[in-house]
Amino acid sequence: MTIGQRIKQARKANNMSLRSLAEKAEISAMAISKYERDLDIPSSSVLLRLAQALNVSIDFLFRPQTISVQLQSYRKHAKLGIKEQEAIQMRIQEWLERYLEVESFFLDEIRPVNLPVYPIHSIEQVEDAAISLRECWNLGLDPIENLTQVLEDQGIKVGLISGFEHFDSCTFMADGFPVIVSKAELTGDRLRFNMGHEVGHLILDVKGVDPEPACHRFVGAFLVPEQVARFELGSRRTTLDMNELYLLKHKYGMSMQAWIYRAKDLGIISENAATRLFHRFRANGWHRKEPGEALASEKPLRMERLIYRALAEDLISRSRAQELLGEPLQLNWLVETFQQDGVAVGS
């Protein structure tokens, strides 16, 4: 990838027009256009201004492309425009390149992908697929405390991106390994739903069934298997209590509304009972923000952990670690404490 292509990638990742970048970097839009089309090469001082305006390092502009991202499954709102989609793709590609660079330091520890595929010819088969995946991953029937960690343990690369209001999540294969990326600004239950939905796209080979409802059904069946749902709710109910739903949400990490859908899908409550409950949620604005304390969000940690390991083993400098992390180092206070005690923590 040329310097010009890197400039264009960073500009699109920041969802900036040529004019807005030109104003921020104090460079003409015509000059930037020439750089992006490789018709001219920016001087070192211009490169510095562009890097600062794009919030990237100089090294990024010279970094060779190691992977190409093509998004497949895509959960988004109708308002998500083409330019935003391009920005999301560029942002994901930049993050994934950093991830792969970090992983290259520890090739012997790359997690093998454990991702079976289940043929689905009816919506009912989704329930069996969810149970089979739990068995494959040795999860039993207990609540999944941290879904993001489970996915990383199974060889799935998980990332979060922020700044795109109308984006939810996506999944794709890159060089043979699965990747799931979700919007960062979500409560824990919504994030877990996104992650589970994308897992559904990866493992369900849907034939003759609408894949979106199938993946929705998969999330509920994976987070709360039928046996568990009937144990918690009973076999047949006339309605569900809000306090009951709130407690179950925090026990299983699945939203109150998803619990209503789950109960309806399993025939525990009727369609009419579910409709009445959903009307109550909408009337109180709970369909956007559920009542009570929000479920804490989850954060993928594998990439961050590998960065700190590389730093500890003197494979990278602190400035390089910060660049790979994409944000300030979080443990500066701990590093300083260790250094005072004479413990090596990286250069």
Side-chain angles (χ1 to χ4, degrees):
M1 183 175 282
T2 65
I3 293 176
Q5 290 171 328
R6 279 296 188 193
I7 293 171
K8 185 175 182 179
Q9 178 189 7
R11 177 174 65 79
K12 288 195 171 186
N14 282 279
N15 203 17
M16 298 174 71
S17 65
L18 280 170
R19 178 175 295 181
S20 60
L21 176 57
E23 291 175 354
K24 191 171 182 180
E26 298 182 347
I27 303 168
S28 73
M30 183 177 294
I32 296 174
S33 176
K34 287 183 177 180
Y35 299 150
E36 290 187 351
R37 290 179 292 150
D38 295 321
L39 299 178
D40 197 2
I41 299 176
S43 66
S44 57
S45 61
V46 169
L47 272 178
L48 182 59
R49 296 213 301 275
L50 285 170
Q52 291 173 339
L54 293 167
N55 195 31
V56 297
S57 67
I58 292 292
D59 286 344
F60 168 81
L61 298 177
F62 288 94
R63 185 192 304 164
Q65 180 175 340
T66 56
I67 196 166
S68 178
V69 170
Q70 297 295 326
L71 302 185
Q72 298 167 2
S73 167
Y74 215 126
R75 298 196 69 233
K76 58 185 175 64
H77 299 265
K79 293 181 180 179
L80 186 67
I82 298 298
K83 287 187 177 180
E84 278 190 299
Q85 292 182 42
E86 290 180 346
I88 290 167
Q89 181 162 321
M90 294 299 179
R91 183 82 63 84
I92 291 174
Q93 178 161 328
E94 191 277 331
W95 158 75
L96 192 55
E97 286 176 346
R98 286 188 283 115
Y99 196 138
L100 294 179
E101 181 175 343
V102 174
E103 200 172 52
S104 69
F105 298 132
F106 308 104
L107 292 177
D108 58 328
E109 287 202 10
I110 294 179
R111 305 288 175 88
V113 178
N114 187 9
L115 208 61
V117 175
Y118 302 98
I120 301 297
H121 300 281
S122 68
I123 200 72
E124 290 74 24
Q125 289 181 311
V126 174
E127 297 280 340
D128 295 331
I131 290 295
S132 295
L133 187 63
R134 272 183 167 260
E135 292 174 351
C136 179
W137 289 355
N138 298 314
L139 297 177
L141 294 176
D142 293 334
I144 299 174
E145 182 176 350
N146 190 312
L147 179 58
T148 303
Q149 181 177 313
V150 168
L151 300 185
E152 290 191 309
D153 287 345
Q154 302 304 324
I156 300 173
K157 290 176 172 52
V158 181
L160 303 177
I161 61 172
S162 58
F164 299 98
E165 180 182 359
H166 303 299
F167 168 75
D168 276 330
S169 60
C170 65
T171 187
F172 57 95
M173 299 295 293
D175 285 359
F177 57 81
V179 180
I180 294 177
V181 179
S182 176
K183 180 179 181 177
E185 304 93 337
L186 295 175
T187 57
D189 52 301
R190 288 190 60 194
L191 177 68
R192 287 161 63 92
F193 184 90
N194 280 357
M195 295 292 180
H197 185 96
E198 300 305 338
V199 171
H201 278 293
L202 289 170
I203 70 161
L204 302 180
D205 182 16
V206 179
K207 306 290 186 183
V209 179
D210 190 335
E212 288 304 303
C215 290
H216 276 57
R217 182 70 172 262
F218 171 80
V219 181
F222 185 66
L223 293 178
V224 183
E226 179 177 357
Q227 180 180 341
V228 173
R230 295 192 184 281
F231 172 80
E232 295 287 3
L233 299 176
S235 296
R236 188 68 182 171
R237 297 280 296 275
T238 56
T239 190
L240 303 174
D241 183 80
M242 291 296 156
N243 293 291
E244 176 185 23
L245 291 172
Y246 174 78
L247 293 173
L248 289 172
K249 167 182 175 176
H250 284 268
K251 181 176 180 179
Y252 290 92
M254 190 170 79
S255 72
M256 297 167 70
Q257 293 170 89
W259 269 98
I260 297 172
Y261 274 112
R262 189 74 181 124
K264 176 182 70 69
D265 288 341
L266 295 175
I268 296 174
I269 60 173
S270 66
E271 291 272 357
N272 288 337
T275 299
R276 288 193 296 271
L277 288 168
F278 286 131
H279 281 167
R280 185 176 177 187
F281 268 79
R282 186 165 291 276
N284 289 280
W286 296 341
H287 63 298
R288 297 186 182 278
K289 183 179 180 182
E290 294 189 342
E293 183 180 353
L295 191 72
S297 193
E298 298 179 359
K299 180 182 179 182
L301 296 176
R302 182 170 182 267
M303 176 181 174
E304 184 175 350
R305 181 179 60 78
L306 290 178
I307 290 172
Y308 284 116
R309 177 178 171 182
L311 178 62
E313 296 185 16
D314 287 330
L315 298 176
I316 54 176
S317 65
R318 292 191 67 190
S319 60
R320 184 60 180 149
Q322 182 165 304
E323 181 185 335
L324 289 170
L325 194 60
E327 59 186 36
L329 298 180
Q330 298 297 312
L331 300 180
N332 285 333
W333 63 272
L334 187 57
V335 169
E336 292 169 1
T337 301
F338 283 159
Q339 287 176 336
Q340 290 172 3
D341 293 339
V343 179
V345 291
S347 56

